[in-house]
Amino acid sequence: MIDPMNQLPTTQAAVTALRALAETYAREIEVSHDIGADQTSRRTAAGVGVATDADGSLPHEAHVEFGGSPRVRVRLYPDDDALIDVEGVECPDVPRDDVPAFLRSVFEDRAWVRARRFPPGYFLIVPMPGDRTHKEFIPVLLLTPWLSARVR
């Protein structure tokens, strides 16, 4: 099992940790990489044909998709954060070091959906180490069968 205290200093280290999670939870995994300032999504101002950042570094972004239910996609940015999509619910700005713990909560069925009566709404709640939680609003139209099964 992956040590949650490990730091994931690079996108490649994070991809390696996600591959280990996929193996642990018997999930298929598909990974694609965007390398270079002209390829990564947050470096659109880099210009055409410019592969390195101003400091000479080569930014690396990875897109990871896990098979099975729930549908999970992860976009690892070179800026030490990630966008995690769980069943169509986007969870932006998750620190890269928290991605393995976030996914363990989802894969181990510790994540749940909180229903609010007034005003009506739903929130995906993902427990994290250290008594923290990640909370994300779910539009009613995105309430999939997997999410509906976790409503409390």
Side-chain angles (χ1 to χ4, degrees):
M1 185 155 236
I2 299 167
D3 179 6
M5 299 311 286
N6 275 350
Q7 298 294 309
L8 302 173
T10 65
T11 300
Q12 190 58 47
V15 168
T16 301
L18 296 184
R19 286 184 191 278
L21 275 175
E23 185 176 326
T24 299
Y25 296 102
R27 309 277 304 244
E28 291 183 15
I29 186 171
E30 187 176 315
V31 180
S32 63
H33 300 272
D34 292 330
I35 299 175
D38 58 341
Q39 300 295 312
T40 58
S41 64
R42 291 186 175 170
R43 303 290 202 286
T44 55
V48 178
V50 177
T52 61
D53 281 341
D55 65 357
S57 64
L58 194 61
H60 177 194
E61 183 173 297
H63 307 273
V64 180
E65 189 166 340
F66 290 89
S69 181
R71 292 182 330 260
V72 176
R73 292 183 199 98
V74 179
R75 184 177 220 167
L76 296 162
Y77 295 109
D79 302 327
D80 298 334
D81 68 329
L83 168 69
I84 301 175
D85 180 301
V86 178
E87 287 287 314
V89 178
E90 290 189 348
C91 303
D93 303 323
V94 176
R96 182 167 44 207
D97 292 342
D98 286 346
V99 171
F102 185 104
L103 295 179
R104 270 196 288 295
S105 287
V106 171
F107 294 155
E108 293 175 359
D109 280 335
R110 288 185 279 143
W112 53 282
V113 175
R114 184 180 76 196
R116 184 178 61 195
R117 290 189 177 182
F118 188 79
Y122 296 93
F123 292 89
L124 175 64
I125 310 294
V126 181
M128 303 289 286
D131 292 331
R132 297 177 298 138
T133 59
H134 186 91
K135 180 172 97 171
E136 207 60 52
F137 178 74
I138 305 171
V140 176
L141 295 174
L142 288 181
L143 209 56
T144 65
W146 186 86
L147 292 167
S148 294
R150 279 143 189 86
V151 172
R152 292 187 190 172

